[in-house]
Amino acid sequence: MEEEKRETQNQPAEEEDQIVNPWEVAAKDGGKIDYDKLIDKFGCQRLDQTLIHRVHRLTGRPPHVFLRRGVFFAHRDFNEILDSYEKGKKFYLYTGRGPSSEALHLGHLVPFMFTKYLQDVFRVPLVIQLTDDEKCMWKNLTVEESQRLARENAKDIIACGFDITRTFIFSDFDYVGGAFYKNMVKVAKCVTLNKVQGIFGFSGEDHIGKISFPPVQAVPSFPSSFPHLFSGKDDLRCLIPCAIDQDPYFRMTRDAAPRIGYHKPSLIESTFFPALQGETGKMSASDPNSAIYVTDSAKVIKSKINKYAFSGGQDSVEKHRQLGANLEVDISVKYLNFFLEDDAELEHIKKEYAAGRMLTGEVKGRLGSVLSEIVERHRAARASVTDEVVDAFMAARPLPNMFD
């Protein structure tokens, strides 16, 4: 009951010691984001081992590395999704991307890699929203440029390997209307100006486009927004994998949902992928040296890691052999925690590096190999994504194997 109360309260979008909202993530004085405080503030729940074991049992597949290592760490009603699935009722997935850059960086890939895993193990349909309208309103982008970037980003998303028979990708500029717009109006009528200012921190200086946008991101949570997919399935539940900075949108959505006759969407939420320079927020597309892009060559990746990846090692080999590395601040170890699949190898690296038996250069070298392999695999997959393939994913058509 207390969680529901916190969820629907009009809370400010920021605290004194950290700011976390859909447009800004920062901790005071360059500190680390306190995820325990976020859970308490937002009113979501910690994702515990009981739920992770349950996913394993229900799917018969090993939990994703992002689950095993706490990358996805919080949720809202994920247990209800699993309850429904255990009773033989399917659900659908919804995630999205705000297209503001030509290419994605590794932090952008995290929710899509995890969403693909969920689609594969639960065998459920997926809708992916490209909020080209949002980026046009928040960034200095024209409508046409936002639309172009949406299609470019769609190619990177498709390259993650989604099943075309279970996936619908749409851009807001192209799709908003009809049943989708009807649901937007229903949500808009449930949200007062005071509430939207309290949740998102909008001020009198923000243009009205920003204030009117949240219902657009809300309504893909409702199956009736997609009549070509879910006609007659208004009772279908929705699960949203996303980073926790998107939570304000869905606190608002969950408050409105029962008032207009829908299930509250469930969420499974991730930590932020840190910048190379340190864990003070999340990787930023506005600073190319803070990020590893899917267009970076192996040489560029190696150079960025060696030059910019913040090290927890000591400033001399002798001192490092004596004291070892501080794993809490070492970015190479944090990146390996995301992307090195082998649990035993990761633990070996941590143990040897912390003891001073492995040097920073060795850890950075291993990270370079891991990331270069991921990026090269992604680049090869993207090369096969033609405009015709993008059109096929974005066509408003029934999905033939939606629940097979």
Side-chain angles (χ1 to χ4, degrees):
M1 194 70 179
E2 184 62 27
E3 289 169 354
E4 284 298 304
K5 183 180 177 183
R6 290 201 305 270
E7 182 176 300
T8 57
Q9 282 175 335
N10 292 345
Q11 299 182 14
E14 61 184 77
E15 293 181 340
E16 286 185 5
D17 58 347
Q18 58 187 15
I19 302 171
V20 176
N21 61 47
W23 313 284
E24 184 179 3
V25 174
K28 186 177 181 181
D29 299 326
K32 292 172 61 174
I33 297 297
D34 188 327
Y35 291 105
D36 288 328
K37 282 188 177 180
L38 277 186
I39 285 177
D40 185 60
K41 176 191 173 187
F42 288 173
C44 46
Q45 299 86 46
R46 174 71 67 171
L47 190 65
D48 60 25
Q49 284 299 317
T50 302
L51 282 174
I52 295 171
H53 291 322
R54 196 173 175 202
V55 170
H56 190 182
R57 177 173 60 81
L58 289 176
T59 65
R61 299 273 290 274
H64 194 278
V65 64
F66 294 163
L67 280 179
R68 300 199 306 270
R69 298 181 188 159
V71 172
F72 278 79
F73 75 106
H75 74 100
R76 293 185 184 276
D77 295 343
F78 184 47
N79 53 308
E80 293 189 12
I81 289 286
L82 298 181
D83 288 345
S84 182
Y85 184 80
E86 194 162 20
K87 294 173 184 174
K89 298 178 181 178
K90 292 291 182 112
F91 58 93
Y92 75 98
L93 297 163
Y94 156 41
T95 195
R97 161 81 185 133
S100 60
S101 58
E102 195 79 33
L104 305 190
H105 59 56
L106 291 180
H108 294 143
L109 286 188
V110 167
F112 294 111
M113 293 169 72
F114 187 63
T115 300
K116 181 189 183 304
Y117 156 80
L118 292 173
Q119 183 183 59
D120 290 347
V121 299
F122 287 106
R123 300 178 65 81
V124 291
L126 162 67
V127 296
I128 299 175
Q129 181 181 40
L130 301 174
T131 56
D132 42 9
D133 53 342
E134 177 198 23
K135 292 307 174 185
C136 180
M137 288 188 283
W138 262 268
K139 304 283 187 178
N140 187 25
L141 295 172
T142 65
V143 170
E144 292 74 21
E145 180 65 359
S146 295
Q147 288 181 296
R148 186 187 72 79
L149 290 175
R151 284 188 65 88
E152 288 303 306
N153 285 191
K155 293 176 182 178
D156 277 317
I157 292 168
I158 292 166
C160 292
F162 293 107
D163 181 352
I164 194 171
T165 68
R166 291 191 177 93
T167 305
F168 173 51
I169 302 174
F170 66 98
S171 85
D172 288 343
F173 278 133
D174 291 338
Y175 188 74
V176 171
F180 195 99
Y181 185 66
K182 289 177 185 177
N183 279 336
M184 284 170 49
V185 171
K186 290 177 184 177
V187 170
K189 289 177 69 176
C190 293
V191 184
T192 65
L193 179 59
N194 284 340
K195 180 170 284 188
V196 82
Q197 286 176 325
I199 293 173
F200 297 101
F202 295 137
S203 72
E205 300 304 308
D206 286 303
H207 61 68
I208 62 173
K210 292 183 178 181
I211 296 168
S212 67
F213 175 75
V216 186
Q217 188 156 322
V219 302
S221 309
F222 308 141
S224 65
S225 297
F226 306 100
H228 69 283
L229 298 179
F230 306 129
S231 179
K233 294 183 171 65
D234 287 0
D235 201 41
L236 196 64
R237 288 184 175 274
C238 175
L239 174 63
I240 304 168
C242 62
I244 199 167
D245 60 336
Q246 299 300 302
D247 190 89
Y249 282 118
F250 301 112
R251 291 205 305 278
M252 183 200 76
T253 307
R254 285 168 57 84
D255 185 40
R259 297 162 63 185
I260 57 177
Y262 296 111
H263 289 299
K264 294 181 178 184
S266 299
L267 281 80
I268 185 164
E269 300 175 313
S270 74
T271 59
F272 305 118
F273 193 71
L276 283 164
Q277 287 82 355
E279 194 178 23
T280 59
K282 62 179 182 179
M283 188 180 273
S284 172
S286 62
D287 179 3
N289 291 326
S290 78
I292 303 293
Y293 286 85
V294 295
T295 51
D296 286 343
S297 67
K299 182 178 179 180
V300 168
I301 291 170
K302 180 180 178 181
S303 175
K304 283 185 176 181
I305 292 170
N306 288 336
K307 189 172 183 180
Y308 298 112
F310 189 84
S311 171
Q314 305 301 326
D315 53 12
S316 72
V317 172
E318 182 181 20
K319 194 174 178 182
H320 183 81
R321 295 295 191 197
Q322 179 185 359
L323 300 177
N326 179 356
L327 303 187
E328 289 300 310
V329 300
D330 193 274
I331 287 296
S332 295
V333 169
K334 292 184 181 299
Y335 281 20
L336 288 170
N337 189 66
F338 275 81
F339 294 121
L340 180 59
E341 288 281 348
D342 190 322
D343 290 339
E345 184 184 358
L346 179 64
E347 288 309 307
H348 173 76
I349 290 172
K350 287 180 177 180
K351 180 181 177 181
E352 295 298 298
Y353 192 34
R357 290 186 292 270
M358 182 176 279
L359 300 176
T360 297
E362 296 174 90
V363 179
K364 287 188 172 186
R366 183 65 182 112
L367 176 63
S369 298
V370 170
L371 297 189
S372 293
E373 182 180 339
I374 290 170
V375 168
E376 183 53 43
R377 189 166 60 239
H378 183 90
R379 186 184 294 115
R382 193 188 192 281
S384 66
V385 181
T386 63
D387 285 333
E388 290 73 23
V389 171
V390 175
D391 290 341
F393 270 92
M394 297 184 74
R397 80 240 184 257
L399 298 177
N401 297 328
M402 193 162 62
F403 291 114
D404 290 349

